[in-house]
Amino acid sequence: MGHTTKPNAKLKIHLENEKLVMYGSPTESSGCVLRGALTLCLKRSTRFKSLVLSFHGSMSVSWSQLLGSGYERKHKDRQILFDHTWNFLPAQPHKDHILSAGNHSFEFELVLPGKLPESTHVAKYYLVQYHLEANAERSSFLMPNYTTRRDIHLSRQKLSLGTDYFDPIMITNHWANKLDYEINMPTKVYSHGDTIPISIQAIALAPNLTIRYIACTFKEYMTCRAINGWFNGKNKSHGRIIQYSRVDQEGPKGVLNYQQGDEEEAVWSTTMIMKVPESMLDIQCDAHNESVRVRHKLKFTMSIENGDGHISELRAVLPIVITISNTTGGLPAYEETWRSLPYDPVVMMTLIRRAAETNTIPYHGLFDLITNYRLRNHLHNAVLPSYSSITLRDDGRASLPSYDDI
């Protein structure tokens, strides 16, 4: 995938959000909006030929075709998915633009169609990436141009995830009248930087069983589909291990001392922690379109030793979903609803412009800026009446369902 270069000290791209989300399939999504400001900070009056900001989206695929006798032919293809340019200072023949000393801000906004493919990188085979690139061209070839670049990550989510996605997930299994085991997780949906706690419990149904270890492998599966001759008519699959963890049971801790009627000693339990990487380079979001599919699974292996020394392995698989943000799609806590202000692009762009002009805008996003805006307007001091107090009738009975049940 692409990378975010260190911004030029004089030229910066400020974004409302560099992680954009499209909701719904390519045929139903209304797309998303890329919004921000390009700022140019000058210590003295300066001449420029032009000031241009460009947004680029591209898809690259590569594959090998077997020709026989051990020979193969490598193919590569690159397609432009989207291209847009803002000419803030258009180039003109024999005429320069003169900007005074100080901070100059140029706002931009772009609607991205919902049919665009998600940002995805399948090693060696498939790459979709988007980025902004700015260039302030100086009037003399002896003077270096000012350039900067920002990567944009585009992801897709379902219009609405059912409650079953966010309910606790559990799998149980029974092994040959010898062992019952259970694996639990709080939900199947996670995002970058999240921690996945996994509870595992085993109950012995026969004597003299010992748990040697339990291992968990966090894997990412990516499949590129054969379209228009790509990959020589065959799907290309690629998988990688995101994390591996193993809990060994040495000594008596793993021994299940089963005795009829004594269930306490026959129960073994442990908790494993898996970490979702924070970087989008280290793990992709789930994706499913006509070109690529990305999935994630947790694969468990439990090693059991019988009383006669025979070793067996029990296996289980739990699919999970990795999204750009771990939002449940439900209501916020009632006391937190003051934080969910209606979006006003005029107010937001005013904030961007003012902060950029005073050089106080956070480079990696506007979350701090939005928070400061709310604090300045004393929204954090707002006291909301309790939900129950505004839903009670005169006789003290509730006239509406509880807030959590809505």
Side-chain angles (χ1 to χ4, degrees), residues 234-398:
K234 297 180 180 179
N235 291 346
K236 291 289 187 179
S237 296
H238 175 76
R240 60 176 175 173
I241 295 176
I242 304 299
Q243 185 184 352
Y244 175 82
S245 180
R246 172 169 159 165
V247 177
D248 291 286
Q249 296 299 315
E250 299 177 357
K253 290 192 297 181
V255 178
L256 298 178
N257 296 316
Y258 173 82
Q259 296 179 11
Q260 193 70 31
D262 189 358
E263 296 183 357
E264 183 176 353
E265 293 187 356
V267 176
W268 174 89
S269 63
T270 190
T271 299
M272 304 183 74
I273 300 295
M274 304 299 286
K275 181 73 173 179
V276 182
E278 295 185 3
S279 171
M280 294 182 183
L281 296 175
D282 296 328
I283 188 170
Q284 309 285 306
C285 292
D286 279 51
H288 193 186
N289 56 48
E290 64 176 9
S291 302
V292 69
R293 185 178 185 186
V294 180
R295 297 172 296 164
H296 298 87
K297 295 180 180 180
L298 296 175
K299 306 185 73 172
F300 299 89
T301 301
M302 183 182 293
S303 178
I304 307 294
E305 183 175 349
N306 297 327
D308 58 5
H310 180 74
I311 295 176
S312 303
E313 287 188 350
L314 307 181
R315 300 180 184 274
V317 177
L318 270 176
I320 62 173
V321 177
I322 303 298
T323 68
I324 193 66
S325 60
N326 190 10
T327 54
T328 64
L331 292 170
Y334 180 73
E335 294 77 8
E336 298 294 318
T337 53
W338 66 269
R339 300 180 183 272
S340 302
L341 292 179
Y343 180 76
D344 187 336
V346 175
V347 172
M348 188 58 61
M349 292 312 300
T350 300
L351 289 173
I352 294 175
R353 183 173 58 255
R354 289 178 179 174
E357 290 173 351
T358 58
N359 203 29
T360 60
I361 191 168
Y363 177 69
H364 290 290
L366 296 178
F367 302 109
D368 293 339
L369 183 61
I370 296 169
T371 300
N372 291 336
Y373 166 71
R374 290 166 174 158
L375 293 177
R376 285 198 303 271
N377 286 274
H378 307 291
L379 294 176
H380 65 298
N381 292 324
V383 179
L384 296 175
S386 68
Y387 183 79
S388 58
S389 69
I390 63 175
T391 59
L392 292 179
R393 303 188 313 199
D394 293 338
D395 58 4
R397 299 176 61 185

Side-chain angles (χ1 to χ4, degrees), residues 122-141:
V122 181
K124 301 180 182 179
Y125 302 134
Y126 177 86
L127 174 65
V128 172
Q129 57 184 352
Y130 302 90
H131 72 273
L132 284 164
E133 190 169 348
N135 180 48
E137 185 180 6
R138 304 292 296 276
S139 59
S140 171
F141 68 91

Side-chain angles (χ1 to χ4, degrees), residues 145-162:
N145 297 336
Y146 302 147
T147 61
T148 189
R149 168 179 167 143
R150 290 288 299 272
D151 283 352
I152 307 297
H153 190 277
L154 195 59
S155 64
R156 186 180 302 279
Q157 290 187 14
K158 293 184 178 181
L159 282 174
S160 60
L161 294 175

